[in-house]
Amino acid sequence: MYSLFTIHDLRFTGFCDSLFTIYHLPPQMIYLDNNATTRVAPEVFDAMRPYLTDVYGNPSSAHSLGRRMKSAVELAREQVAELLGAADPGEIVFTSCGSEADNWAIGGFLEQNPTRRHIITTRVEHEAVRNLCEHLAEIGCEVTWLEVDGNGELNLDDLHQVLRRDTGIVSVMLANNETGVLFPIDKIGRIVRENSDAVFHVDGVQAVAKIPINLKELDVDLFALSGHKLHAPQGVGALYIRSGVKLPPFIIGGGQEGGRRAGTSAVPNIAALGAACELARKFAEHERIEKLRNKLEDKILGTIPNARLNGTPDRTKRLPNTANISFEYVEGENILLHLDKAGVCVSTGSACHSTTKESSPTLRAMNVPYTAAQGSIRFSLSRYNTEEEINHTLAILPEIIGKLVEMSPYDKELKALYAARGSA
Ligand code: PLP
């Protein structure tokens, strides 16, 4: 059914060849790039559809249509709070995306507390935190970057050492977008509470809906999430703000979101985010996804000699849907293009630097050698992946890697590596 060289041809159907090419994903497309974004779930689309069609008032309007829109927003707030284990739905504020939530958490804290300019974060944060902190360092904040080891893990003693009474904010992700490595935010929160007056922000964008979260039980003050990572559409996110934590509004204007974030609420998107959280709360197949990921990872590492895992081999410390694997001495971009041609979507590290030639800062921080980092591929699964799709990916990948190995200029290094690890 899936031939490496014919699927590509199915993807283009000409309507008027010289002027337009209409791009269709082939029905067979295998999507293993769910950490980049996810498909909108049909149930989620059903939940948002009325607010795009029949119910169209402004949620701030007093008439009945407006009130229905407002109810949809408040229901979604409850659904998000429930999934996160927040103590009160009022702790959830809707944003336009995860990046906005991260920017608001850190930037807002600094605006509220201009004298507490010491920030602690990690070397492997998503750009939404990393680039913001780099910018803040340029404009006079003091940023301490926690290093990770070769497995992508933090040493909590380092945090103990750099935490000061005057530290303003500690920002640590829960799950790494590239490797899926989980940081122990329970322990980190406790250390922050016991040793400082700092506020603890968690970028939870990649973790929500993939692992259980109970914010009531954690020393977390701020927590960012993004709808499009959990089968809601792009363009909606949320920031959890623990009761008692003060942030100035991110957008100043009307009184929406209790005056905390102005701008007419994106009701269809917010309703979708609520429905996606509800869907995630009821999802009972995490184990099936994890088994598929394990099969994919084990077979690749066991059969392709130049494959090596990025991120801790201890699967209890990684997201259950993510496998980041380097194919040494070949270009990740070439692997991606060949897989794409064969109908399989993956990414090279994070989708955000797919336009640059630099290897990912996360893999650099883990000291992954350049010749391995350049060949890294992230496979990320979702509820919609099937065993047949994993089997198919496993069936075509060795041939693709084999061809690229033959073309690689690193033939001496590859020969030595294949001799040491056995041939494919
Ligand atoms: N944080 C992490 C860990 C992410 O993976 C992403 C997106 O990939 C973001 C933040 C940004 O989220 P958004 O795309 O909704 O702005």
Side-chain angles (χ1 to χ4, degrees), residues 333-362:
E333 215 169 293
N334 287 336
I335 304 170
L336 182 149
L337 292 175
H338 279 81
L339 281 172
D340 188 36
K341 239 181 175 180
V344 179
C345 296
V346 295
S347 77
T348 52
S350 160
C352 305
H353 28 77
S354 60
T355 50
T356 74
K357 267 285 186 188
E358 274 189 5
S359 61
S360 100
T362 296

Side-chain angles (χ1 to χ4, degrees), residues 35-36 97-100 102 126 128 173 175-177 203 205-206 226 228-229 236 352:
N35 286 10
C97 60
S99 300
E100 180 187 324
D102 282 327
H126 183 270
M173 67 201 324
N176 186 276
N177 42 304
D203 176 349
V205 167
Q206 283 296 342
S226 175
H228 72 103
K229 308 291 185 184
V236 64
C352 305

Side-chain angles (χ1 to χ4, degrees), residues 4 6 58 82 105 107 111 116 129 131 164 201 245 260 265 276 303 307 328 336 340 357 376 378 401:
L4 202 73
T6 55
N58 186 316
E82 184 77 29
E111 189 186 336
R116 296 179 58 197
V129 170
N131 288 349
R164 310 190 308 228
H201 168 57
V245 175
R260 293 179 291 182
S265 306
T303 57
E328 291 182 81
L336 182 149
D340 188 36
K357 267 285 186 188
S376 83
R378 179 185 66 187
I401 301 297

